[in-house]
Amino acid sequence: MRLLPLVLVLALALAAASAAASASASGPRSVLRTVTDVPAAVSSGGDGDALFCDSWRLSVETANAGPWRAIPARCEAFVRGYMEGPRYASDSAVAAADSLAFASGALAAAAGAGAARPAWVFDVDETLLSNAPYYAVNGWGSQEFNDTSFDEWVDAAKAPALPSSLKLYNELQGLGFHVILLTGRVEFQRNSTEANLLFAGYQAWEKLILRQPSDIGKTAVQYKSERRAAMEAEGFKILGNSGDQWSDLIGSPMATRSFKLPNPMYFIS
């Protein structure tokens, strides 16, 4: 009777050796996909484009891509699908929900610390207002930026609100935040910008800050950092900052927390 377990062990050992030999002949099989599997998966055309462009979008949103001038030609259809489909709206709504979740606690903490004039800063384009109708007829960022045609679009003052941003804007005002709009648009566009914001449903902002002649030539990081410093000098405590570009958010001083909204269509330094 003691021979049976020994026979069973030998049989299992022989089966394992046979499986190992078979694996060696056909090549190793890894449970995890490695980086070397990616190039074949992102070859041009079909699903390869979709996979590549989704990864490219992540690279853009995390700033891994660095400065860039236009979306890859193979990604125009992907960007259109993203912007017109449910994912863009969902990503924006999650950013707004995260902002609101932070806002209530931050406001209470600031009040406890005796901070006066708690403020939330918003960028305008692709943060409060959507220029998707403009980019829909201009290649979704695949074409070189045209100042003239975009200025004409701004003058029309018909950009719609981002629904999740409008909701967040109203909720922050209801909590007692001073809402300040800080945009890269220039002073001569003030009237059309104000008209567009009202058209889209935004009201009662504390102030709307646009580039002055002395700001022309400055990077967005420098210009917006200087304006945030001026806000603090006026007694505002910037608890939150929402923008679609990293240049809306970084630079000293920064908000207590910053919230990046999605934008795969263009980059501003």
Side-chain angles (χ1 to χ4, degrees):
M1 296 298 292
R2 293 181 179 178
L3 290 176
L4 183 58
L6 179 60
V7 170
L8 181 58
V9 169
L10 290 173
L12 291 172
L14 288 171
S18 176
S22 175
S24 177
S26 60
R29 295 180 62 189
S30 174
V31 175
L32 299 176
R33 173 170 290 185
T34 65
V35 174
T36 57
D37 294 317
V38 173
V42 297
S43 58
S44 296
D47 292 341
D49 280 350
L51 181 60
F52 167 80
C53 294
D54 200 23
S55 297
W56 171 82
R57 185 181 69 85
L58 175 64
S59 180
V60 165
E61 298 296 0
T62 56
N64 289 340
W68 52 281
R69 295 180 62 86
I71 67 172
R74 64 193 282 194
C75 294
E76 181 176 345
F78 173 87
V79 172
R80 175 184 177 181
Y82 173 79
M83 295 297 299
E84 293 184 338
R87 290 187 61 190
Y88 175 61
S90 177
D91 289 349
S92 299
V94 168
D98 289 341
S99 302
L100 185 62
F102 161 77
S104 298
L107 194 62
R117 307 179 79 186
W120 198 287
V121 176
F122 282 98
D123 174 51
V124 172
D125 293 298
E126 271 59 65
T127 301
L128 296 181
L129 301 178
S130 171
N131 296 307
Y134 170 82
Y135 284 99
V137 295
N138 287 278
W140 294 105
S142 63
Q143 301 175 12
E144 186 171 347
F145 183 73
N146 186 303
D147 290 288
T148 301
S149 66
F150 187 75
D151 287 348
E152 291 171 352
W153 162 253
V154 169
D155 288 343
K158 297 298 183 184
L162 273 74
S164 56
S165 292
L166 179 58
K167 182 173 182 290
L168 174 64
Y169 179 99
N170 290 329
E171 289 169 329
L172 291 175
Q173 284 188 326
L175 289 173
F177 278 90
H178 298 266
V179 174
I180 299 174
L181 313 186
L182 176 56
T183 175
R185 294 184 180 192
V186 293
E187 180 60 37
F188 75 80
Q189 295 172 319
R190 177 176 295 277
N191 290 342
S192 57
T193 300
E194 290 180 342
N196 199 156
L197 288 164
L198 293 170
F199 165 79
Y202 297 99
Q203 298 180 7
W205 50 83
E206 181 86 13
K207 59 174 65 180
L208 170 62
I209 303 172
L210 300 96
R211 282 184 185 260
Q212 302 301 307
S214 60
D215 298 315
I216 303 303
K218 295 178 181 178
T219 66
V221 172
Q222 179 184 358
Y223 156 63
K224 294 199 170 186
S225 296
E226 291 174 353
R227 291 298 176 269
R228 289 195 299 272
M231 293 175 208
E232 291 194 346
E234 294 172 18
F236 291 103
K237 173 62 177 176
I238 306 173
L239 297 178
N241 187 6
S242 299
D244 67 292
Q245 302 287 323
W246 285 108
S247 55
D248 297 329
L249 310 173
I250 63 175
S252 181
M254 290 179 63
T256 302
R257 274 194 64 184
S258 300
F259 295 87
K260 171 73 168 65
L261 278 73
N263 182 0
M265 298 183 296
Y266 59 83
F267 169 86
I268 297 176
S269 62

